[in-house]
């Protein structure tokens, strides 16, 4: 049984590093805010909260900003919501559990969106909302990739929820953004994880179908992705090998447990050959040629002897 082709894994990791690097660049101080002439209290709770946050006094900072949010006047100021978003963004960075991180991030996103909405209505400067929201969006994508690589079964939807949040935020901060590459990397990571789970439970058709679907989605997003075509070919071939009898020569036995099952086995095998051939045409490596010949042998097709130039 062949193992899946894995270069895509390194690309997933590289993309994680890219988004993590965005988080470092976003660690700026809270934007100074000019006091309006009509402000009757120069030291409002939001100002105090901002200062406490910059002094890394997070508990005191959160207490002050929540008082500000509850205040009738301060709650009408976009800066109050901006400061709240910034504080919870910083809180998100230092949280130690997934539950607390998710909670802080949700509050940060909610607050920045509220501040942005108020700024748009008042036609004022947006206080760098987009930069903060783009950073938070990148963390959702990071979590989507990590969760996809740690799936425990095909029904685990956590990674999908993170990806959905990423789409929603980027859609707000960068309308018209092309998600093809991110979605491709996500589905590839998900497909490989499900494939590995299926290898340990080859009788689990749910895992097989989920992995197959994720690889197919990756290929739809990028028809030139030879690694995903190769991986899907290997998945289909191994499915046949695990569920149908082959003879000592490695070909399918003509009877193979009944006509219907035999027809299904042949169908999967033909698809595996087709996909592996496409992968070989795109990336004519010795490894893919070897896998192609194994798939061809199942259908008693002649081997391909030479790598194409």
């Amino acid at each position: 049984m062949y193992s899946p082709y894995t270069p895509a894994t390194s690309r997933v990791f590289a993309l994680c590093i890219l988004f993590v690097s965005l988080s470092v660049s976003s660690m700026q101080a809270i934007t100074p805010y000019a006091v309006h002439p009509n402000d009757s209290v120069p030291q409002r709770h939001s100002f105090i909260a901002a200062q406490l946050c910059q002094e890394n006094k997070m508990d005191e900072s959160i207490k002050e900003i929540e008082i500000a949010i509850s205040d009738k006047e301060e709650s009408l100021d976009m800066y109050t919501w901006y400061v709240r978003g910034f504080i919870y963004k910083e809180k998100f960075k230092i949280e130690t559990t997934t539950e607390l991180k998710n909670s802080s991030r949700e509050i940060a996103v909610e607050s920045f969106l509220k501040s942005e909405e108020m700024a748009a209505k008042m036609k004022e400067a947006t206080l760098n909302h987009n930069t903060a929201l783009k950073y938070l969006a990148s963390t959702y994508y990071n979590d989507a990739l990590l969760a996809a690589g740690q799936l425990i079964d095909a029904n685990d939807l956590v990674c999908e929820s993170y990806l959905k949040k990423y789409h929603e935020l980027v859609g707000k901060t960068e309308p018209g953004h092309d998600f093809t590459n991110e979605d491709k990397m996500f589905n590839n990571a998900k497909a490989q994880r499900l494939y590995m789970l299926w290898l340990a439970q080859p009788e689990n058709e749910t895992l097989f179908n989920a992995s197959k679907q994720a690889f197919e989605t990756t290929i739809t997003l990028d028809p030139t992705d030879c690694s995903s075509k190769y991986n899907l070919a290997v998945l289909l071939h191994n499915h046949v090998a695990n569920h149908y009898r082959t003879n000592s020569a490695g070909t399918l036995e003509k009877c193979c447990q009944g006509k219907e099952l035999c027809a299904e086995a042949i169908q999967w095998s033909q698809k595996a050959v087709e996909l592996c051939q496409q992968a070989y045409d795109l990336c004519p490596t010795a490894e893919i040629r070897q896998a192609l010949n194994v798939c061809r042998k199942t259908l008693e097709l002649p081997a391909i002897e030479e790598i194409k130039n």
Side-chain angles (χ1 to χ4, degrees), residues 12-13 16 98 102 105 138-165 185-195 197 207:
V12 170
F13 178 71
C16 279
T98 300
N102 285 342
R105 180 167 54 189
S138 74
T139 68
Y140 277 115
Y141 188 70
N142 277 344
D143 285 350
L145 288 177
L146 290 172
Q150 298 172 354
L151 286 170
I152 57 175
D153 59 54
N155 298 316
D156 189 345
L157 301 178
V158 173
C159 61
E160 299 285 351
S161 66
Y162 286 140
L163 185 69
K164 182 180 179 181
K165 276 288 188 180
M185 299 300 290
F186 169 79
N187 279 283
N188 191 41
K190 180 181 176 181
Q192 291 199 49
R193 173 59 179 173
L194 290 167
Y195 177 87
L197 291 174
L207 287 173

Side-chain angles (χ1 to χ4, degrees), residues 28-30 43-68 74 79 83-84 86-88 90-91 94:
Q28 75 276 12
I30 298 177
Q43 281 297 318
R44 297 181 298 176
H45 292 289
S46 57
F47 295 171
I48 298 172
Q51 182 62 42
L52 289 169
C53 179
Q54 291 179 336
E55 295 172 359
N56 294 319
K57 298 176 180 179
M58 295 304 299
D59 291 341
E60 295 95 323
S61 176
I62 290 171
K63 180 179 178 180
E64 286 295 326
I65 198 59
E66 292 304 328
I67 292 175
E74 288 199 58
Y79 181 69
V83 170
R84 186 175 188 244
F86 188 97
I87 291 170
Y88 277 95
E90 296 305 301
K91 187 173 186 289
I94 62 175

Side-chain angles (χ1 to χ4, degrees), residues 11 51 67 84 100 111 128 154 188 227 257 274 292 295:
R11 294 198 295 273
Q51 182 62 42
I67 292 175
R84 186 175 188 244
L100 290 175
S111 301
N128 217 16
N188 191 41
S227 67
Q257 303 178 25
E274 177 187 341
L292 174 59
C295 293

